[in-house]
Amino acid sequence: MVFFRALSALSTLRSRSRSAQQSSLGTSVRWLQMETSSDLDLHGQLKEMIPEQQERLKKLKAEHGKVQLGNFTTDMVLGGMRGMIGLLWETSLLDPDEGIRFRGLSIPECQKVLPAAKPGGEPLPEGLLWLLLTGKVPNKSQVDALSAELRDRAQVPEKLYKFIDGLDVTAHPMTQLSAGVMYLQVQSEFQKAYSEGIHKSKYWETTYEDSLNLIARLPALAAYIYRRLYKEGQFIPMHDSLDYGGNFAHMLGFDNPKMQELMRLYLTIHSDHEGGNVSAHTAHLVGSALSDPYLSFAAALNGLAGPLHGLANQEVLLWIKSVVDECGENVSTEQLKEYIWKTLKSGKVVPGYGHGVLRQTDPRYTCQREFALKHLPDDPLFQLVSKLYEVVPPILTELGKVKNPWPNVDAHSGVLLNHFGLTEARYYTVLFGVSRSIGICSQLIWDRALGLPLERPKSVTMEWLENYCRKAATS
Ligand SMILES: CC(C)(COP(=O)(O)OP(=O)(O)OC[C@H]1O[C@@H](n2cnc3c(N)ncnc32)[C@H](O)[C@@H]1OP(=O)(O)O)[C@@H](O)C(=O)NCCC(=O)NCCS
């Protein structure tokens, strides 16, 4: 009986994930599901797909290479390249109004179709890794196989911990994470193979090895940094059967099942946000010089550590706490408005609001809000975040220059972590960094598989622009 129930559950799961695969075929996912013995072998699946995708890119270049995609304006050159289409990024695509789609699937769709640790739970981030890499929704067995593979690859050299211990405790956790990744770079198989003269058609294979190793090893490094800084150095070893997100929460010291679910959701939604954001673009750029995934990802982390990008999650919680310090937990709407204006008038941004591309509330904010409504509706800081959602957008709109007055991903994450006991805001961007490895490394593998070239856009001087614009006005 139990056996038949298990069989029927398995077949429901399989058909659920197969229909999800089919539903996404019409968008960016164009591959067919294979039902062979290599089903659980992620590397094998990639190997089969790569020639087809190489052909696709070749055809695109040959048939449409000269099609114009838009016009550049001086504003774009001076304005941080907003709206300029300039790079290929296969794993996700961002719509200004609708938000991110991972291989064609929105966040709510991912929450529906990606396997979870328990029925109805949050998606497992290794399922998202599978999706980003292959464009296919994995079934639970595939995700379990990948979880086990990541655990097998997770061992870090003892010397890494000694290296981290050598860093000043006042060094920001992101500095320690980035330095730790650089320390691990000696393990790069890509670099070794390149120095031995590997053929370029094989670059992706060692990039794949480095990427999976790096993704697997980051939680141990990140957890070590946390326990060293905040828990008297009492390091917690990896659990031998937990999934990636659950294990990371466990190594940080959080075994509350709700916190583990939060970590799975967190690692899933922060992974990828198309290619132009600072961290993703940095990894893509550095990787285009054939720097290995460790070098490329460490560079990305240094970008993520900036307050306008990943560090905003730290800034949000610190800012919210400063509101409470000044006005108390039961802050009135009027007091809140005053505090926001005070922040703006002192030449600062309201952290967690605005975006370079999005023009609506970030769906990554929305799904965290739903998590909070389900698990911590009475948390006073969550209630303050909800109040800010009503008060901040009209004020930013009134400023007259902010293109997107709505909250982004960082406006919410801190209060959730804080609720479950991860209260050290300075550490928050490290969590973002661990998650970002999933998206960045997936794309790096495809960068090498597709043979994408060295990135080298053209720059100009102000004088060049003045002369060009003068000539354009008279012609
Ligand atoms: C994300 C961000 C960097 C996008 O920058 P952008 O694409 O240049 O945004 P805009 O085009 O809307 O910026 C236009 C102006 O509005 C300001 N602005 C944008 N968001 C703002 C905010 N949240 N608070 C105050 N001012 C803001 C900009 O600083 C800029 O001012 P300036 O012309 O005086 O330099 C910006 O919205 C920001 O600084 N947000 C706060 C930090 C944050 O949450 N970062 C995480 C992003 S996921």
Side-chain angles (χ1 to χ4, degrees), residues 354-470:
H355 198 271
V357 178
L358 281 168
R359 293 297 175 253
Q360 292 292 337
T361 297
D362 191 336
R364 299 172 300 174
Y365 174 93
T366 310
C367 73
Q368 293 183 86
R369 179 170 167 76
E370 281 160 9
F371 188 94
L373 286 169
K374 190 166 157 194
H375 297 293
L376 46 128
D378 301 326
D379 182 286
L381 290 190
F382 166 58
Q383 288 176 356
L384 182 49
V385 163
S386 300
K387 220 176 213 174
L388 286 168
Y389 193 17
E390 288 163 26
V391 177
V392 176
I395 294 181
L396 291 183
T397 305
E398 200 181 322
L399 265 189
K401 60 177 181 177
V402 181
K403 296 197 189 66
N404 174 31
W406 300 106
N408 59 54
V409 65
D410 300 316
H412 216 305
S413 52
V415 296
L416 298 180
L417 297 164
N418 186 72
H419 177 85
F420 290 110
L422 209 169
T423 55
E424 299 85 358
R426 252 165 71 89
Y427 184 76
Y428 289 172
T429 314
V430 170
L431 304 174
F432 197 156
V434 171
S435 170
R436 245 318 118 99
S437 69
I438 293 174
I440 280 176
C441 289
S442 298
Q443 182 60 41
L444 277 175
I445 294 166
W446 277 104
D447 288 351
R448 300 289 77 78
L450 295 172
L452 297 187
L454 180 81
E455 196 174 287
R456 198 346 181 152
K458 175 85 188 99
S459 68
V460 291
T461 60
M462 278 206 267
E463 187 187 10
W464 187 97
L465 273 175
E466 285 157 355
N467 290 337
Y468 186 93
C469 295
R470 224 174 280 130

Side-chain angles (χ1 to χ4, degrees), residues 46 53 56 65 68 77 83 174 188 221 244 258 264 267-268 293 307 318 363 367 374 396 406 440 453 475:
L46 272 176
Q53 296 305 308
R56 188 176 165 203
Q68 279 209 329
V77 174
M174 281 300 279
S188 171
L221 165 61
Y244 188 76
K258 285 185 186 170
R264 291 171 189 124
L267 295 177
T268 298
L318 295 178
C367 73
K374 190 166 157 194
L396 291 183
W406 300 106
I440 280 176
S475 63

